[in-house]
Amino acid sequence: MTGQSRLSWTDVRDEIQARILDRTYAPGDKLPRDNDLALGLGCARTTVHRAMQELSRIGLVERKRKGGTHVRTDPVTRATFDIPITRREVEQRGSKYAYQLISSAVKPTPGSVMARFGTPHPAEVLHVKALHLSDNRPYIFEDRWIDTTTTPDILEVDLACNSANEWLVRNKPYSKLDVRFFAINAQGENAEHLSVAAGEALLVIERTTWIGTAPITTVRSVTAPGYQLSAQN
């Protein structure tokens, strides 16, 4: 590139984020020095520095003095709150975490999930139901659909031992997020898996993620009574 670059720090941020999303820079990788990135992109080092500050703030990279910049192994992806690894969420409260896979099967996308994904045609999706426990008590019942086109590696994961929640947070950063919160009255499998009486009020957190316009996953996390959600700006 010759002449003065017109790249803004947001352009640089988006370019580096895209390289993280497409795994040019994989989790744990050390990124090139700011000077080298600036040279390759044809912009000022200060522009790269500002972009890196933002990527660090949103949780995609970690910068250490004299240690360089690395892609986070556990990327913290932000909306107005962090999308947590449920295991860590439980352990940080001082409780013992456990996990149970209830079912896992590849199916055509049902209409309700197509609506959440915003896709006009069905595709092959992995339907996963799982229960997260805290001190041997039900904590979150997770009903998740994963697009196997954007996330084919999930089919190789032993979900009996590794939760889809943790694998996706570690391995599948996203570029777009939609979150909804709503309450339901416990019934059917929600009441059964959370061990609560029918009719009890439960909080549901529904999250859907995309890479570009292509869907990654949508999940309804039904939480046990007493669940608390904290957020920070």
Side-chain angles (χ1 to χ4, degrees):
M1 184 180 295
T2 60
Q4 185 176 4
S5 171
R6 295 185 179 181
L7 287 179
S8 67
W9 72 265
T10 57
D11 293 328
V12 173
R13 176 203 61 195
D14 292 345
E15 174 59 25
I16 297 171
Q17 182 176 9
R19 294 180 186 183
I20 293 171
L21 292 172
D22 69 16
R23 307 300 287 269
T24 299
Y25 304 137
D29 280 358
K30 184 175 182 179
L31 271 63
R33 297 180 307 164
D34 289 2
N35 284 340
D36 294 333
L37 283 169
L39 182 62
L41 294 169
C43 64
R45 180 184 177 279
T46 54
T47 303
V48 173
H49 181 74
R50 176 67 183 88
M52 286 298 189
Q53 285 182 319
E54 178 65 10
L55 290 170
S56 177
R57 187 191 71 79
I58 66 176
L60 281 182
V61 304
E62 184 175 24
R63 287 166 74 80
K64 293 183 179 179
R65 187 173 182 179
K66 297 184 179 180
T69 302
H70 291 77
V71 180
R72 287 179 60 110
T73 303
D74 302 325
V76 178
T77 358
R78 299 181 188 271
T80 56
F81 61 94
D82 296 341
I83 292 184
I85 292 175
T86 304
R87 172 182 60 80
R88 289 190 168 182
E89 183 179 86
V90 170
E91 291 173 348
Q92 286 170 358
R93 297 180 185 212
S95 299
K96 178 184 176 182
Y97 174 77
Y99 161 81
Q100 296 174 0
L101 176 66
I102 297 169
S103 63
S104 174
V106 175
K107 305 176 180 179
T109 319
S112 60
V113 174
M114 288 171 60
R116 280 190 254 168
F117 279 158
T119 52
H121 304 292
E124 291 287 292
V125 288
L126 180 64
H127 187 200
V128 180
K129 293 182 181 181
L131 184 65
H132 303 268
L133 300 103
S134 174
D135 289 335
N136 297 318
R137 297 177 182 176
Y139 183 68
I140 290 176
F141 169 53
E142 178 179 302
D143 188 345
R144 180 185 296 273
W145 299 82
I146 306 169
D147 189 296
T148 60
T149 302
T150 57
T151 315
D153 293 352
I154 193 66
L155 298 174
E156 306 300 321
V157 178
D158 183 358
L159 293 175
C161 301
N162 304 281
S163 77
N165 160 258
E166 183 158 355
W167 188 90
L168 287 163
V169 171
R170 287 179 177 274
N171 295 280
K172 201 67 181 179
Y174 55 80
S175 57
K176 179 184 174 185
L177 164 71
D178 179 74
V179 184
R180 295 199 307 137
F181 303 92
F182 55 94
I184 61 171
N185 292 324
Q187 60 180 338
E189 62 181 358
N190 292 325
E192 175 188 352
H193 294 309
L194 292 174
S195 300
V196 297
E200 188 158 356
L202 301 173
L203 172 69
V204 180
I205 305 170
E206 183 181 278
R207 291 189 293 255
T208 306
T209 57
W210 295 261
I211 181 165
T213 59
I216 298 173
T217 185
T218 186
V219 59
R220 282 187 174 176
S221 298
V222 186
T223 65
Y227 178 87
Q228 295 182 358
L229 176 69
S230 60
Q232 294 180 343
N233 291 324

